Amino acid sequence: MDPLLQWARKNQSALIRLIRDLVECESPTDSPGAVVRCMELLAESLADIADSRMVDGSYVGEFRLPGRATKGRILALGHADTVWPLGTLRTMKFRNREGRLWGPGVLDMKTGLAMFAFAMRALRELKIPVRHTVSMLVNPDEETGSKGSRSTTESLARGARAVLVLEPGTGLSGKVKTARKGIGGYRVAVTGVAAHAGVDFESGASAIVELSRQISEKIAGFTDLKRGITVNPGVISGGTRSNVTAASAETLVDIRVPSARAGAELEKKFRALKPFDRRCSIEVTGGLNRPPMERTRDIADLFRFAHRCAAELGVTLEESSTGGGSDGNFTAALGVPTLDGIGAVGEGAHAAHESVLVERLADRVALLAKIVAHLS
Ligand SMILES: [Zn+2]
């Protein structure tokens, strides 16, 4: 058996203990103190193998590994926050049952963090030389869009040889992600003219009627499924009472685009919205928040390399693309080869059945270690 895989199997119960500790340290994004405690727990667990520091609210660990690091940096990227509010553990306890680990944040993505920590431990204990500097960056706000941590992520990733995003893989086979759509949002607000709907109807200009036309005749039509562009007016509000022509109305629109070019095209279309009724005015704000992670040649190469590493472990690693975003969108947009979804294998992220396959813990740890050790 592959020595890394053997090591990972032998140390699996210690890995599960760390996963349990991390899951039982609840860390919703909107409770910063709790998220920091979770990061501190991770730092403690790494105290003997990494130098830890905090950078603008994010945890950074630099691993002390065998070999001479003469090449660039490999950055493992993760987040300590979850979508689960404090107290979720009361009804969703950590459990190791039916071949799975269950609990809030176990898949997204506390197991991924613990796996990488163990992968680095394996390299040390087996004295496998590593030619790169290896860092791990764990931010506190991925689930709400990484607004505070984006610049830290970008500054650590810039110029790196590779970024490994420890998000869960796709589906129960754990496919890695080599493409992610870009994500953005627009607010389209219409200002109309209020009037009494009975006495003075004609001097009113309904913002609701105007916005409805904008949505049905323009915005909804921006979706282009063939090209992978989706435009979703997900929230709508406006008006004050039924007997008044609405003076204002607005919609919040989610957009997903496969390429930067598609993002620029949409931007143009939104900015060009003109009122059908000249008495109304339209204000558009927003844009792309996460740039698309496009499957560049570098990303395809990195995937092929990971695929070979997995094959040595008897695993067929597949790739996938997704409409969901991650911090990998930021690093890929810098041109850094990024492999995303290389963390835990399971299902139910953000859902009550969130769980991780126990039988896929060891091969994933071994795969992460192999990639770090053998990347040229
Ligand atoms: Zn995540």
Side-chain angles (χ1 to χ4, degrees), residues 79 81 107-109 142-143 166-168 180 325-326 349-350:
H79 60 87
D81 62 323
L107 176 66
D108 186 8
M109 55 174 284
E142 195 275 343
E143 295 292 2
L166 304 170
E167 292 283 357
R180 283 185 183 270
S326 87
H350 301 195

Side-chain angles (χ1 to χ4, degrees), residues 166-189:
L166 304 170
E167 292 283 357
T170 304
L172 287 173
S173 62
K175 294 176 189 172
V176 293
K177 289 151 180 141
T178 50
R180 283 185 183 270
K181 286 185 185 176
I183 303 177
Y186 287 96
R187 172 178 172 272
V188 179

Side-chain angles (χ1 to χ4, degrees), residues 172-231:
L172 287 173
S173 62
K175 294 176 189 172
V176 293
K177 289 151 180 141
T178 50
R180 283 185 183 270
K181 286 185 185 176
I183 303 177
Y186 287 96
R187 172 178 172 272
V188 179
V190 174
T191 303
V193 181
H196 192 296
V199 181
D200 200 18
F201 184 81
E202 284 180 10
S203 62
S206 169
I208 288 178
V209 172
E210 175 65 31
L211 181 61
S212 306
R213 290 193 68 186
Q214 293 294 333
I215 291 173
S216 59
E217 294 178 35
K218 296 280 184 178
I219 297 170
F222 296 167
T223 290
D224 186 341
L225 292 177
K226 274 212 192 82
R227 293 179 59 204
I229 299 169
T230 59
V231 177

